[in-house]
Amino acid sequence: MPPLLPGRSAPRWLAVTLQFIGTVAVAIWLVSALPYLLLFSLVLALLLIPTLRRLRTELHRTDLYRSVDVPARPLTDITPWHRRLIREFTLWSQGQPPRR
């Protein structure tokens, strides 16, 4: 395509044709990538099974679920230190004692 002079624009039919070709190319790419995305999600789901099993056993060990066989263990606070600091500062500024 030759360079355009200032103030001139490309013909409308050329812009529409390029948009159509781009849309078709993206549609073909998405259809061809779909099987790989489905396979990747299946592998990821299979890898999550042991993690979810461990999470379930950890939940059963906490106070949320009392099990006869496993002794109860209290929940552990995993809030990042900066979030805890912000929460304690907010409670302090409101005149409330910090929660532990």
Side-chain angles (χ1 to χ4, degrees):
M1 186 167 144
L4 298 174
L5 297 174
R8 301 194 96 181
S9 62
R12 176 97 173 116
W13 66 268
L14 183 60
V16 171
T17 304
L18 290 176
Q19 287 176 352
F20 178 74
I21 291 172
T23 303
V24 169
V26 168
I28 291 172
W29 179 77
L30 285 175
V31 168
S32 64
L34 185 62
Y36 296 107
L37 293 173
L38 291 173
L39 183 65
F40 176 72
S41 63
L42 175 66
V43 169
L44 188 64
L46 291 175
L47 289 175
L48 277 177
I49 290 174
T51 306
L52 293 175
R53 282 187 182 164
R54 180 166 179 197
L55 181 63
R56 183 177 59 197
T57 59
E58 289 291 326
L59 274 175
H60 283 293
R61 288 183 185 164
T62 61
D63 289 334
L64 295 176
Y65 297 98
R66 293 279 177 167
S67 178
V68 179
D69 304 346
V70 181
R73 193 171 74 183
L75 291 174
T76 305
D77 184 16
I78 59 168
T79 307
W81 66 270
H82 63 282
R83 291 286 183 189
R84 276 188 258 149
L85 186 65
I86 292 170
R87 182 179 62 208
E88 289 178 11
F89 178 74
T90 305
L91 290 174
W92 174 79
S93 66
Q94 294 173 353
Q96 300 175 3
R99 292 182 226 152
R100 295 290 168 178

